[in-house]
Every structure is written in structure tokens, then in C-alpha cells.
Amino acid sequence: MSYHDAFELIRDEHIAEVNSQAQLFRHKKTGAEVLSLVNDDENKVFGITFKTPPEDSTGIAHILEHSVLCGSRKYPVKKPFVELVKGSLNTFLNAMTFPDKTAYPVASQNLKDFYNLVDVYLDAVFFPLLTEETFLQEGWHYELEDVKAPLVYKGVVFNEMKGVYSSPDAVMRDIAQRSLYPDITYGKSSGGDPKAIPDLTFAQFKAFHQTHYHPSNTRAFFSGDDDANQRLAILDEYFSQFERAPVDAEVQLQPRFNAPRQIVATYAGSKEEGKARDGMVSVNWLIDPPADREEQLSHGMLSYLLAGNPAAPLRKALTESGLGEGMTGGGIGSGMRQPMASFGMKGIDPADAGKVEALILSTLEAIAETGFAAEQLEAAANTFEFSLRENNTGSYPRGMVYMFNALGSWLHDGDPLAPLAFEAALSALKAKAQDGHFAREIRRLFLDNMHRTTVTLSADPTQGAREAAQEAEILASVRSKMDADALAATQAETERLKALQEEVDDPAQLARIPTLTLADLPRESRIVPIEKSTLGGAKLFYHDLPTLGIVYLDLGFDLHVLDAEMLPYLPLFGRALLQTGTSKQDFVALTQRIGRTTGGIAQHRALSARQGDDGTAAWFFLSGKAVPDRIEDMLAIMGDVLLDARLDNRERFKQMALEEKAGFEARMIPSGNAIVDTRLKAGLTEASWVSEQMGGVAYLMFLRKLVQQIESDWAGVETMLRTIRDRLFNRGRMVVNATADAALWQRVEGGVGQFVASLPNGAFAPVDWQAHLVPQSEGLIIPAQVNYVGKGANLKALGFALTGASSVALKFLNTTYLWDKIRVQGGAYGGSSRFDLTSGNFSFLSYRDPNLLKTLDAYDGAAKALNAPIGANDLTRSIIGVIGGVDGYEFPDAKGYSSMWRELTGTTDALRQQRREEILGATAADFKAMAEAIDAIARHGHVVVLGGEAAITAANVERPGLLTVTKVM
């Protein structure tokens, strides 16, 4: 094997744990380092990372991450990143800012597409245009639409971070981190503090790129089945254009405290009448950098032992204390040179913060004295080992996990290969675990560690208005210092920026962005093997796929046997199966049993409209994975949790209800667009209505009442839970989904069949849920500085019969008009549209949006964008992008599950192929049809907004009666 002359080979090792030949190179001219993993993974990954420790909280690294993808020397268009999103088969395409680094990873299963992505990204990071207009757009600027109007701040990152800082959990994480690292870069906001972002200048911005985005400050990474020499040739083409220029970007070590510190702060939140539990507390430690792979694994396993599952002793002590509603923090993090550890609670009375802190420390002391039980250690070791060997990263490319694991030490001049191996380290750790290792670590890392902070947060209902007033005061002061000429110049600058944002790129320059052709796309849908039969009286779907010695099993139960009022109980009912114990074991012992003998058992619900009718596919699943020798153990556990869970465990159920409520409230702001989407569609179809009952605002309202009902009428709650179990778990309306290779399945099929046959076989008729489908326009008030704006309708109900080609039109709309209007010009972090061809539901959505009515106006104007002539390149790119989504990468277990779900929703392979051909054959006529449908939404659609009270009130003043207002937080 030959290597590129421009690089010297430093290491060349086979790493069995990741089935890769790992080669570490150094670029001779610049000193850039490259880690190249050669393996059989068709999902190829590339990433380029720079050390970018910020010196302040202006968000300079974050704004730069956005901006380098807005045009480059080779691709001088406004948004090459969006062109890639529109027209690539990528399985991952993004960029991330961390406290000490900025990473640009891409992934694709298609080799040509992969190299296209790599080239665009390399040109973007090393030769970006970085115009001042891009800085103003992505970072911040003064906006003045009329010389008589007040100044306002605009900018994508500015509004993104306003959204981040609207979340109490994010505020806690930020303050906790800053409290531990007051003297170094980790004490700054790498994302950017909205109060500090306007301090950043364009000159500083340009200089930061010139200093940090250099090959001498680079860690480049490849993984997959592409050619190793070609990787180096591609990199040298860019690296060789630079001279060596060592960059001072090292992260210094934080000097240690001599004594713990206390921090008390507030967040912008409402106070409910009679409720004192609006606080949060977090106890945090700074940890020394791990010395080796064994210590890294030790940190992860200790975190799991203490708080990684509901039965873990520290988590259990906190949730059973009655001091709060849910745990925060999960132990020792990774990714920073000096890691931090955090444990705490949300939903506390701030006056009890000291009690929570004392409980955390006393629990740690008790565990340090007695150690962990042998069963706990065995369960944790098996859980970790199974996860490491399975190496199932879900939708996240495996290569990216390898990259970020390597960067943990590589970024700080450590060994990048050591974090990829685990056999020796895990073996040594398992041996130490039996000799009190983790008890000693608790004392070393926590109890004897005086570099500790305790952060207490409480809600301040005036903070949001106060901060808005302070911002307005700053802007008014700036405005007052502008004379007439300065005001006119600012208005002209606002208009100029908007004009530039609305300019259309030169088609010739757009054509330079590499892309695939329609001929590069597979014409046939991928078919997953499936055998349909019966097993033990239930339907069986079996998928013969290579699963590395693991059997994946899904047990599905039809929710249609339940009454409508039972549906909101299902999320907690599912948790109760695995977290209340059985008549033979408490939930601690049950959790340990699952950990010792399986790769995990989990529950979830799945909902979808069905093909060909107005019905709903609604199922509850209990899923497990195990090696064949442990299948019998796994089935015994499944039987116990399905039929013998302690549904009478009132205190445990109450704890879960409080955790569920606190968790939902914490998600309201970070996941606001999903909340709006669920609410918006709840009045359109039965499946969406059910989704709202089990995961939307209606579910939050249910949880709040349920917490009270547990106190006042536990008998009624328990009866409901038992009725759900009795009706649901019957093999007559059950499916079994198995994914494993034929030899494995042959070994375990008989045992699975016996298990299924042992389940009850009650006859319960399907129930008509009589869903309340009444769309209405709503304003849902939360304490946030940004909005999430939705508008939608059911296109089938409006008389439109669309096809797979409709998704091509929406791909174009999302990556052109909506990107420009909502994000670039509007300053929101995101704007998109969603359409479900099966149900007919359509929604417009915005994310972390400073606007409300302007966004709705943009939605209403969207049809014009689809009525405009569509160029051949735009059409082709949009088709490619949609096919990329259809052909997303899946591991074998996910392939088996997806195949089953298609069966349950009536999505045949013939229908999939029809839809594919409609996508591949999309024409301008399909864009016109979609435009007509969207125009109908402008006229007949309804609106849901989740946002601040001031914005929603102002919208109703300007457009009376627009929104029915409800305060949800």
C-alpha cells in the first residue's frame, strides 16, 4: 500500500474493536494531522475539526461556524451548504461548535456524493468569502426599517442563542459550567451570550478565522470503505496551499479551588400560584483529565452506576426524597480537557437547595463506604460491554462516533487511537470493579474534591420583561446618539442587506457546486427481507439480516382495544412496566436483572395514519435485544413486566409522573417547533389527535391533573392502569417482529413461540375513539424570548390528491424560499414545511423565531415561489435530496423495525416503488400542483404559536381574534 508523498505515516494499527485499519498521518508542509480508518462501512464519514477556544462570550466561533458555509472561493454562492442539503444523498451534513473546537462532519453511502461533500466543506472552511454582509446576517446587526422606528437586533445566531437562554435547563448548564471554569475558556459561552454577541466586530471575526482555520490547527478524519490514498490526495490539494503556522489554541488547565463555592441565580420563568417548586439545583465538580482509555470507561461506568437508570442509587435517592420533580445532570461528561460532573434536581423549592446538596453528598458518602452491590456491578459491566460490542449508533453514522471519541484526547495532543479500543481497558476495569474501585473513585472524584460548585436557580417572573427592557434601553441609547444621517444610513444598510439576501445567485456559479445526476440514483426501492406467518397465536414478521450475533425482538400490541380516555396514561403506563418492579422483585432488582442478562429492554408507542383509509395504526411495543444464550432470560423478563408489573406502586408512580411533567416542561422551549407541529395537526386526523393526547400540550395538561389525582384518587388511577394491562396484552391482537440471521433465529424461534402462546388471549373488540377533530388557531404562552410559529391544514380535506413528487416541491421550498424568508431575512434559526402523504397533513413551522406575523405572511406568500419557473438544476437537486431521505442509512435492527411498520400501516413495496418513481419523475407541473395546495392553506389553514406573551398579545392587537390565548407555562 502506498501513501501520498505529502504525508508522513506516524501510526498504522489494526483496531479490532472498530474493525478498522487505523493510520495516523502528519502533513509534512503544514503539520496537519489526519486519522484515517479503513473499514467495510459503506456509510463513509469525513470531518475536519479546528481548535477554537473563545476568549469571550460573543459567540465568535459559533457565528464563524455558520458563516464559512455561506459561500467560498471555489463556490461563490450565498448558501452552498443549503445546495448540498437540497441535492445530496448525505446521511449526515452539519457543523457543530463546542466549548473548545468546531467540527464540520459529513457522511454519505454514495462515493461520488461523499467526495462532493468533502470538497465543498474543505473549500468552505479554508477559503470562505466571509463578507461583512454574512457576518451581519449570521451574527448580529442593527435593523431599522423606518427612521422613526426603534432599532432592533437581528441575526441568526443572536436569535438562536436567545432561544437557548430561554430554556431553564440551558441556563443551568451554562451557569454550572461557567462556575467551574472561571479563569479559562470553558468559563465563556462558546455559543454566544445574547448580551455579549453585539460586542463582536467584523474585524475580530475575520481575524479569528485567519488564526484558527489553518491546516496547522487541523484534525482531519476519514472512516469508511473508500480509498485511503484518495483521501490524502484530496486533503493535500487544500493543505499544500498553506505554509506551516503554529496556532496558539491550547486549552489551559483551570486552577483548582481551595473550597466549594455557592452560586444563586434566576431564570426567566413564571410562578404558579401556590407553587413554590420553581427552582433547580446542581452540584458540580471539575474532574482531572482522564489518563487513559481505562479511566474514560471508568468515568462512564461510574456515572451509569450512580445515575444512569431509575434504579441507580443516587438517582433513586433523589427521586424518592420528595424534594423535587426530577433529576438533572447525569454524572461525568466528556469532550472537555478537564471534564465536569453534575448531579441535581429540578422542580424544587429553592429554599430546599441545601437539602438536595446534602442528600447528594451523604448518598455519595454512603456508597463510598459500602461500595456497589455485586449485582449492580455485573449489570453495569454487561450493559457497557454489550453496547460497546454492538456499536449500534442508530441514525448517527458510526464513523462520527469514532471521530468524536478520538478527538477527546487527540485535540489536546493525546493518543487518538486509544479511545477507539476497549478490550484491554474494559477487562482491567471489570477486574478492578470487584475490588472496590468505584467506591474509591467516588471519594477521589467527588468527596475529596474541593473544586465543587452548587448552583441554585429560581424562577423570576419579571426577568424576561426586565431583560427585554434592558435590551430596548441599550438600543434606544444607541439610537439617540445617531443623527439624521446616521439613522438614514442604518435604514439604508437594512434595506441593502435585505436586497442582498433577496438576490438570486448566478446560475453559472450555482452549477459549479458538484452534484450527482439522476442517472446516479438507484431506480429501485431497497427491499428488506420479510417472512410473514404466525407464531404462538400472534402475527409474526421475521427478517433474515446479519445482526452480529444479536437477536432483536419487538412485541407489538394494538392500542385500538383501549378507550380514548386511557390513551394519555400510556407513556407513564409504559414506564411503569419497567420501573415499578414485580411481585417477585422490586424495580432495583428488576433493572439489574435486565442489565445483567440482556442488551436492553425498552418500550415505546408508534402512531401513523394508515394507507387507503382514514384509520390509525396505533401500537404499543416492548422491544428487547440479547444474544441467543440469553433469549430465555429476556423472554422471562418480558413476561414479568407485561403481566406482573407493580401497578399498585403508588409512590413510584407518583415519582414518575412528576419526572414526566418536569421533563415535558423542560422540553417546551428547546423542542418548541415539535410541540407546535403536534398541536397544529391534532385537529386534522385521528392519528394526530392521539399523538397530542400522548405527547402534546394536552398531555402536559393531563399530567398536571394526574399528579393531583394520584393524591386524591389513587384507586381510580390504579384501576385505569390495570384495565389498560388487561385489555392490551393479549396475543389475539399482537405482532411479533424478529430480526436476526437464519441460524440465530432457528435457535430461538421455538422459545419465542412458547412465550407468545403463554400470553392471555382475551377477545377485545376495537374501540371507536371519536377523536375531537376541531382545528383552531391558538397562542400558547411560555416565558420565552423567541417564538415557534406554525400554520397548516389537511390537504386531502381541502380536495388535493398529491403524489410522491410533492415532496420534491417541498424540498425546493424548504431550501430556497423558506430558508431565505424565515432564516436569512427573518433571523429565525429555522423555517420549514412538512407534509405527510399518507394523512394529507401539512404544516409550516419556524424555530427560535423573533417574528410572528411576518412569518405568517411569509407562509402565505410561499405559493408564489413554487409558481415561479423551476430550473433544471434546481429540480434535479431537489429530487436527489428527497431520494437521499428515502434511502437513509439503517442498521439491521432498524431495517427490520421499518419493514414491520410498513406492514402495519399498509405501505406495500409496490406503493413504495410507485412513490419513488413519482419522485424521480417530478416535473414543474408537480410544483404548480403543490403551489395551488399551499395557496389553499394560506386561505383556510389554522395557526398555532408557542411564544412569549408580549409577541402573542401584539399579534392579537394587530389582527384581532387571530389567536385564542392559553398560558401553558
Side-chain angles (χ1 to χ4, degrees):
M1 182 179 287
S2 62
Y3 300 110
H4 199 281
D5 291 339
F7 294 86
E8 58 178 318
L9 178 64
I10 302 170
R11 300 267 297 279
D12 190 356
E13 299 177 14
H14 181 74
I15 302 179
E17 291 90 333
V18 294
N19 191 30
S20 301
Q21 191 67 28
Q23 296 149 345
L24 182 64
F25 297 94
R26 181 177 293 116
H27 192 243
K28 295 175 183 177
K29 184 178 181 183
T30 63
E33 294 187 7
V34 181
L35 177 56
S36 175
L37 301 185
V38 179
N39 50 50
D40 61 1
D41 191 349
E42 64 179 342
N43 199 13
K44 292 161 275 290
V45 168
F46 165 75
I48 188 160
T49 301
F50 304 93
K51 298 180 185 179
T52 54
E55 297 180 355
D56 54 38
S57 294
T58 59
I60 188 168
H62 187 190
I63 296 169
L64 191 56
E65 173 231 302
H66 280 235
S67 301
V68 300
L69 296 170
C70 292
S72 65
R73 183 177 70 181
K74 195 172 179 180
Y75 307 110
V77 298
K78 292 189 296 182
K79 48 185 183 181
F81 171 78
V82 181
E83 294 302 318
L84 293 178
V85 170
K86 183 195 304 180
S88 163
L89 296 176
N90 72 82
T91 54
F92 192 91
L93 182 74
N94 212 330
M96 303 99 151
T97 303
F98 297 88
D100 52 16
K101 61 183 174 286
T102 307
Y104 296 86
V106 298
S108 180
Q109 300 172 82
N110 181 286
L111 183 63
K112 180 180 176 182
D113 184 54
F114 179 62
Y115 285 149
N116 289 345
L117 297 173
V118 172
D119 186 63
V120 173
Y121 261 47
L122 285 170
D123 202 67
V125 297
F126 288 120
F127 302 108
L129 299 180
L130 291 189
T131 64
E132 186 168 11
E133 290 76 21
T134 296
F135 168 73
L136 298 175
Q137 170 185 293
E138 298 299 319
W140 77 277
H141 63 275
Y142 295 122
E143 185 161 292
L144 187 66
E145 295 185 338
D146 187 291
V147 291
K148 297 179 181 179
L151 276 182
V152 296
Y153 287 126
K154 278 290 180 71
V156 174
V157 170
F158 179 80
N159 285 310
E160 176 189 352
M161 296 311 296
K162 270 199 165 184
V164 169
Y165 278 85
S166 293
S167 164
D169 286 55
V171 172
M172 172 59 88
R173 287 192 296 268
D174 180 67
I175 295 176
Q177 180 177 317
R178 292 199 200 197
S179 73
L180 289 173
Y181 307 95
D183 305 312
I184 65 168
T185 188
Y186 294 149
K188 313 300 180 185
S189 172
S190 58
D193 185 334
K195 296 184 179 68
I197 288 173
D199 294 334
L200 182 63
T201 68
F202 179 59
Q204 292 170 325
F205 169 78
K206 288 276 286 185
F208 193 87
H209 178 269
Q210 185 173 4
T211 299
H212 292 85
Y213 280 57
H214 190 283
S216 299
N217 189 39
T218 290
R219 303 289 188 272
F221 175 90
F222 278 95
S223 177
D225 60 3
D226 56 307
D227 180 72
N229 288 297
Q230 181 64 20
R231 297 170 175 179
L232 299 181
I234 291 169
L235 291 174
D236 181 56
E237 181 182 343
Y238 282 91
F239 291 170
S240 62
Q241 299 180 58
F242 295 82
E243 301 297 327
R244 187 182 293 258
V247 178
D248 182 12
E250 300 303 316
V251 174
Q252 302 303 311
L253 294 177
Q254 168 65 44
R256 284 196 161 272
F257 299 167
N258 295 321
R261 299 180 181 181
Q262 298 279 334
I263 295 93
V264 176
T266 60
Y267 66 90
S270 59
K271 283 186 177 290
E272 296 179 31
E273 186 176 347
K275 177 183 175 181
R277 292 189 165 195
D278 56 19
M280 306 171 69
V281 63
S282 178
V283 184
N284 319 288
W285 290 265
L286 178 142
I287 305 296
D288 287 334
D292 51 28
R293 179 59 164 149
E294 182 185 323
E295 189 170 0
Q296 288 178 334
L297 288 175
S298 176
H299 284 174
M301 198 176 296
L302 178 57
S303 298
Y304 180 81
L305 281 162
L306 288 171
N309 61 77
L314 181 55
R315 182 169 173 179
K316 184 171 180 286
L318 288 170
T319 55
E320 291 182 353
S321 69
L323 292 170
E325 296 180 345
M327 187 175 179
T328 62
I332 305 170
S334 60
M336 296 192 292
R337 186 179 181 189
Q338 288 169 293
M340 65 178 286
S342 295
F343 302 103
M345 291 202 83
K346 65 180 68 174
I348 70 163
D349 183 337
D352 288 337
K355 295 178 183 178
V356 177
E357 178 188 40
L359 178 59
I360 291 170
L361 295 176
S362 64
T363 303
L364 291 172
E365 179 67 48
I367 300 170
E369 285 293 322
T370 62
F372 292 99
E375 294 82 1
Q376 291 174 302
L377 294 171
E378 183 185 355
N382 181 70
T383 298
F384 261 63
E385 185 167 1
F386 193 103
S387 177
L388 288 167
R389 296 192 189 286
E390 181 191 23
N391 198 18
N392 190 329
T393 56
S395 61
Y396 206 65
R398 272 182 178 150
M400 282 183 58
V401 175
Y402 301 155
M403 181 181 82
F404 285 117
N405 283 346
L407 283 168
S409 59
W410 190 19
L411 191 79
H412 308 295
D413 301 320
D415 182 357
L417 273 58
L420 303 179
F422 64 82
E423 291 284 5
L426 181 63
S427 178
L429 183 60
K430 287 165 68 175
K432 283 184 177 180
Q434 305 303 319
D435 189 32
H437 166 74
F438 289 113
R440 292 190 297 272
E441 285 293 273
I442 289 172
R443 192 163 298 283
R444 181 177 73 90
L445 299 175
F446 304 126
L447 298 173
D448 294 342
N449 182 358
M450 291 298 102
H451 197 112
R452 184 178 86 228
T453 63
T454 300
V455 178
T456 304
L457 288 185
S458 59
D460 181 348
T462 68
Q463 183 168 323
R466 189 171 66 250
E467 290 177 343
Q470 290 169 349
E471 180 180 298
E473 187 177 335
I474 292 170
L475 288 164
S477 176
V478 171
R479 194 185 193 288
S480 70
K481 295 171 185 174
M482 293 180 174
D483 59 19
D485 290 341
L487 289 170
T490 303
Q491 183 186 16
E493 179 69 15
T494 299
E495 293 171 352
R496 188 177 73 86
L497 182 59
K498 289 187 176 182
L500 286 170
Q501 291 168 338
E502 292 174 355
E503 278 186 4
V504 177
D505 282 315
D506 180 352
Q509 298 294 356
L510 280 172
R512 295 176 61 179
I513 296 175
T515 187
L516 301 176
T517 67
L518 295 185
D520 295 316
L521 304 180
R523 304 294 303 187
E524 304 296 322
S525 295
R526 294 178 179 174
I527 304 298
V528 176
I530 183 171
E531 296 177 17
K532 294 179 279 188
S533 60
T534 60
L535 185 68
K539 287 182 180 179
L540 171 66
F541 301 130
Y542 165 62
H543 315 278
D544 183 358
L545 293 167
T547 54
L548 299 177
I550 299 170
V551 177
Y552 296 93
L553 191 66
D554 305 296
L555 307 180
F557 301 91
D558 192 346
L559 295 180
H560 285 89
V561 298
L562 303 180
D563 296 334
E565 61 266 25
M566 297 175 178
L567 298 175
Y569 288 87
L570 280 167
L572 278 169
F573 170 80
R575 286 186 60 182
L577 296 179
L578 295 167
Q579 296 181 27
T580 59
T582 69
S583 64
K584 302 182 187 72
Q585 291 179 299
D586 64 20
F587 88 95
V588 173
L590 175 64
T591 303
Q592 292 168 3
R593 180 181 165 203
I594 293 170
R596 290 198 315 272
T597 59
T598 76
I601 296 176
Q603 56 82 29
H604 76 281
R605 301 154 313 283
L607 293 165
S608 173
R610 287 199 306 258
Q611 299 288 349
D613 59 35
D614 294 328
T616 301
W619 291 81
F620 176 92
F621 288 100
L622 186 68
S623 303
K625 52 189 174 183
V627 297
D629 290 344
R630 290 293 196 176
I631 285 292
E632 186 176 344
D633 296 305
M634 185 177 80
L635 292 173
I637 295 170
M638 287 179 150
D640 287 347
V641 301
L642 288 172
L643 304 178
D644 192 35
R646 283 283 310 277
L647 300 181
D648 61 343
N649 192 338
R650 174 179 175 173
E651 286 306 309
R652 181 71 191 123
F653 194 81
K654 178 183 175 182
Q655 292 159 12
M656 292 191 302
L658 289 170
E659 284 180 339
E660 188 86 358
K661 182 179 77 70
F664 192 101
E665 290 171 344
R667 293 192 301 272
M668 287 287 284
I669 294 175
S671 303
N673 57 335
I675 300 292
V676 166
D677 193 37
T678 301
R679 187 72 169 184
L680 187 72
K681 295 172 179 174
L684 302 177
T685 60
E686 181 184 73
S688 298
W689 177 82
V690 175
S691 180
E692 169 71 8
Q693 308 313 303
M694 296 194 294
V697 173
Y699 178 58
L700 174 61
M701 302 306 180
F702 166 81
L703 286 173
R704 290 172 175 169
K705 293 178 181 177
L706 179 63
V707 169
Q708 298 173 355
Q709 187 186 357
I710 292 169
E711 293 292 340
S712 63
D713 180 24
W714 169 245
V717 174
E718 184 182 341
T719 297
M720 182 68 78
L721 298 175
R722 291 184 181 278
T723 302
I724 291 172
R725 177 167 65 189
D726 293 343
R727 288 196 190 181
L728 190 58
F729 299 143
N730 283 275
R731 68 180 187 273
R733 298 186 66 85
M734 175 185 176
V735 297
V736 177
N737 188 60
T739 305
D741 65 58
L744 288 178
W745 181 238
Q746 187 175 11
R747 288 176 60 185
V748 304
E749 181 179 8
V752 175
Q754 291 175 11
F755 166 76
V756 174
S758 72
L759 295 176
N761 192 26
F764 294 100
V767 175
D768 182 357
W769 287 330
Q770 297 183 334
H772 304 292
L773 303 183
V774 184
Q776 62 176 332
S777 292
E778 297 179 282
L780 307 173
I781 293 175
I782 57 173
Q785 302 178 60
V786 290
N787 307 302
Y788 304 86
V789 182
K791 185 170 184 176
N794 184 275
L795 296 182
K796 285 185 178 179
L798 293 176
F800 295 92
L802 301 175
T803 71
S806 307
S807 58
V808 179
L810 290 190
K811 185 75 171 181
F812 176 79
L813 187 71
N814 287 340
T815 53
T816 54
Y817 177 84
L818 290 176
W819 179 278
D820 291 338
K821 288 292 184 182
I822 307 302
R823 180 183 170 107
V824 173
Q825 298 167 32
Y829 187 51
S832 64
S833 62
R834 299 179 184 179
F835 174 55
D836 176 32
L837 194 56
T838 302
S839 67
N841 285 344
F842 180 98
S843 58
F844 286 111
L845 299 165
S846 70
Y847 187 69
R848 291 175 178 167
D849 190 346
N851 307 305
L852 197 165
L853 295 179
K854 285 184 180 179
T855 296
L856 291 175
D857 290 341
Y859 295 161
D860 290 348
K864 293 180 182 178
L866 293 179
N867 270 319
I870 174 73
N873 283 341
D874 279 331
L875 179 60
T876 297
R877 286 184 192 274
S878 298
I879 291 171
I880 293 168
V882 172
I883 291 293
V886 170
D887 291 347
Y889 187 77
E890 289 183 317
F891 287 108
D893 63 312
K895 288 180 181 178
Y897 181 88
S898 296
S899 176
M900 172 204 63
W901 190 239
R902 288 193 287 267
E903 290 289 329
L904 296 178
T905 58
T907 309
T908 65
D909 286 337
L911 179 59
R912 292 173 62 222
Q913 185 61 35
Q914 175 189 326
R915 297 297 190 217
R916 188 181 192 89
E917 291 169 1
E918 289 168 352
I919 293 166
L920 291 169
T923 67
D926 297 301
F927 281 57
K928 300 286 186 183
M930 195 74 238
E932 186 180 352
I934 288 175
D935 186 55
I937 291 171
R939 291 178 280 112
H940 303 295
H942 66 287
V943 175
V944 174
V945 178
L946 184 73
E949 184 171 8
I952 289 174
T953 300
N956 268 343
V957 169
E958 187 167 339
R959 298 182 188 176
L962 175 67
L963 303 170
T964 300
V965 178
T966 304
K967 187 172 184 179
V968 295
M969 283 181 67

